[in-house]
Amino acid sequence: MSRFPGQPYFDYRGDQLYVEELPLADLAREYGTPLFVYSKASMLAALGAYQRGFGDRNAKIHYAMKANSSLAILQVFAQAGCGFDIVSGGELERALAAGAKGSDIVFSGVGKTRAEMKRALEVGIACFNVESEPELEVLSEVATSAGKEAAVSLRVNPNVDPKTHPYISTGLKGNKFGVAHDRVLHAYQRAAQLPGLRVVGIDCHIGSQITDVGPYLDTVDRMLDLVQAVETAGIPIHHIDFGGGLGISYHGEQPPQADALWAQLLAKIDARGFGSRTLMIEPGRSLVGNAGVCVSEVLYLKPGETKNFCIVDAAMNDLPRPAMYQAYHAILPVRTRDDMPHTYDVVGPVCESGDWIGHTRELAVNPGDYVAVMSAGAYCMSMASNYNTRGRAAEVLVDGTKAHLIRERETPAQQMLREKLVP
Ligand SMILES: *Cc1c(COP(=O)(O)O)cnc(C)c1O
């Protein structure tokens, strides 16, 4: 067993940190740093826990691809039978390029454009997860003028507190997401009247990095109450989509395992008589977060008056979560040393005080050593930017003893490709 609870596919052998059967240091030397490294076995194990959880139920898993939308990552999930939850026209094209069929895709998001709706109808997506009444009207117009019928679910706001960071809580009153609880019936009645729409389901998503079962149990109750109310009004609901949000272990959190969580939720769903419905979920972070690390080189050790800094070549443009949400990522030496550790703030080269990766970390490292920023598979590469004209990192997918370069490092020329000087 690995000593990292969430990341069993990453562990030390002797003084070397390995991913599956390969030393991370070898990958860093071959492909350069900063480098994202993913374990395919870890991704499939995470998906497998959900698939086991649902057994032979009538259920469909749509990977919320905004967590990590690199093509090869999507390809692994598509080949394992997973569908996709998208939030933009760009993600639609990525999912298709990775081998998904339109019918494997559901489309979430509060601000879908007419062009995005039209394209999604063209490729025959499974469902639009509509977030407001005005969006229903626009989708009806777009579908009618394209001569198509749009399958519609309403994203409802169950007003459940997921007890997570306010920036990643989405199912409370006052969030921009979903149809307010007391408008749901009205919105379904409108959807049922509008031409070009076919009501098929109901969905929600209450937040992210949820580590308790409680908020999910509350959500199940609220959702099933709503299904009953809508069906009593004569509008059948064929599928119930509970969204994503299950947390991972970054720093000692102990979220439920996906199969254990779903055993509890399914018991409740069965007890209320909804066990034979089509059930859907949209996990993101919990499928990829602990399948990836970011390997970075130590550039300088800089003693300060009150703090020592460990300056590495990865930065907030590669790893935005600490700057955005004060998030914690473990930082480990890729090769351990016997030297005395020192306390460092681990920071990147970007010209912002917000550019930190970890505060007060004990590390025994020298310049030229590599460190691994752990649990970096979700909401890192997909949020990476070119701030400070830094090229986005390369990515490698490891499968046992094999490493596949799945994204080349971005060059300055590629960053400037679409820019023009004035005459
Ligand atoms: C982001 C998102 C998800 C996935 O959330 P995770 O916390 O990564 O599991 C699922 N559904 C919707 C609508 C989302 O916006």
Side-chain angles (χ1 to χ4, degrees):
M1 263 310 274
S2 162
R3 74 196 72 185
F4 313 118
Q7 297 204 276
Y9 296 88
F10 296 84
D11 204 359
Y12 287 102
R13 296 189 192 173
D15 60 355
Q16 291 272 352
L17 187 56
Y18 272 66
V19 48
E20 299 193 20
E21 302 302 321
L22 295 175
L24 283 171
D26 288 2
L27 298 173
R29 267 189 296 273
E30 179 163 357
Y31 299 104
T33 54
L35 179 71
F36 283 93
V37 180
Y38 306 106
S39 153
K40 181 178 173 185
S42 174
M43 293 167 56
L44 292 178
L47 178 63
Y50 282 103
Q51 289 171 328
R52 253 195 328 277
F54 286 107
D56 52 12
R57 302 260 180 172
N58 186 7
K60 180 97 192 168
I61 302 168
H62 294 106
Y63 166 53
M65 63 180 275
K66 72 181 192 290
N68 186 322
S69 52
S70 298
L71 280 183
I73 301 287
L74 305 181
Q75 182 191 15
V76 167
F77 286 134
Q79 286 172 355
C82 194
F84 298 94
D85 172 39
I86 64 167
V87 291
S88 74
E91 287 194 347
L92 176 58
E93 300 306 330
R94 274 188 180 275
L96 295 171
K101 298 193 297 291
S103 57
D104 297 328
I105 296 171
V106 299
F107 193 169
S108 300
V110 293
K112 301 177 193 77
T113 66
R114 286 167 193 264
E116 287 173 326
M117 291 172 176
K118 188 157 174 277
R119 175 73 178 139
L121 284 166
E122 247 166 49
V123 305
I125 65 158
C127 188
F128 288 85
N129 290 351
V130 172
E131 301 225 10
S132 67
E133 292 168 70
E135 184 188 335
L136 278 177
E137 310 282 333
V138 171
L139 182 57
S140 165
E141 271 174 43
V142 173
T144 321
S145 66
K148 308 250 182 204
E149 193 172 57
V152 165
S153 161
L154 286 184
R155 173 166 175 183
V156 302
N157 187 333
N159 195 24
V160 168
D161 185 355
K163 304 191 181 73
T164 184
H165 189 285
Y167 284 12
I168 49 178
S169 145
T170 52
L172 275 170
K173 280 185 195 174
N175 279 128
K176 71 176 176 182
F177 299 101
V179 176
H181 200 268
D182 54 4
R183 294 290 298 177
V184 169
L185 194 55
H186 184 267
Y188 269 104
Q189 281 163 337
R190 186 72 188 131
Q193 284 164 358
L194 283 168
L197 304 186
R198 179 167 42 95
V199 172
V200 295
I202 188 167
D203 66 282
C204 68
H205 173 67
I206 59 169
S208 203
Q209 186 54 17
I210 300 167
T211 52
D212 292 341
V213 179
Y216 279 107
L217 289 169
D218 293 348
T219 299
V220 164
D221 268 328
R222 305 261 175 126
M223 291 290 282
L224 299 184
D225 291 346
L226 285 170
V227 173
Q228 267 165 344
V230 173
E231 293 194 330
T232 303
I235 303 166
I237 302 284
H238 303 286
H239 77 246
I240 311 172
D241 180 342
F242 295 97
L246 180 58
I248 63 170
S249 174
Y250 286 101
H251 190 210
E253 300 92 330
Q254 292 184 315
Q257 298 298 304
D259 45 354
L261 170 69
W262 276 94
Q264 282 193 60
L265 300 183
L266 288 170
K268 193 174 194 52
I269 293 167
D270 286 343
R272 291 199 49 178
F274 289 88
S276 58
R277 297 298 173 105
T278 301
L279 303 176
M280 293 187 182
I281 51 164
E282 303 164 352
R285 184 190 315 271
S286 54
L287 292 185
V288 288
N290 267 335
V293 300
C294 180
V295 183
S296 178
E297 184 180 332
V298 176
L299 299 176
Y300 301 102
L301 298 178
K302 182 176 173 179
E305 268 178 35
T306 55
K307 282 178 169 180
N308 299 316
F309 292 99
C310 172
I311 302 170
V312 299
D313 68 356
M316 64 187 287
N317 72 299
D318 306 296
L319 296 161
R321 298 185 62 259
M324 271 181 85
Y325 324 111
Q326 293 84 46
Y328 182 98
H329 288 275
I331 302 170
L332 299 174
V334 162
R335 214 194 95 208
T336 56
R337 293 176 171 279
D338 290 331
D339 313 355
M340 270 281 292
H342 293 281
T343 304
Y344 296 103
D345 273 13
V346 180
V347 300
V350 162
C351 301
E352 295 280 345
S353 295
D355 181 30
W356 57 277
I357 298 172
H359 287 138
T360 52
R361 303 303 177 85
E362 297 279 307
L363 284 168
V365 288
N366 282 349
D369 286 3
Y370 298 119
V371 291
V373 181
M374 306 300 282
S375 309
Y379 302 107
C380 292
M381 191 61 184
S382 59
M383 284 186 168
S385 79
N386 290 125
Y387 190 39
N388 283 204
T389 307
R390 289 169 52 86
R392 276 172 296 178
E395 293 177 294
V396 167
L397 179 71
V398 169
D399 181 6
T401 56
K402 286 200 288 293
H404 304 281
L405 181 66
I406 60 167
R407 183 196 297 264
E408 292 173 3
R409 188 172 306 286
E410 196 176 21
T411 65
Q414 288 165 342
Q415 289 186 60
M416 291 184 278
L417 205 58
R418 287 171 302 279
E419 296 180 43
K420 291 184 175 24
L421 296 170
V422 290

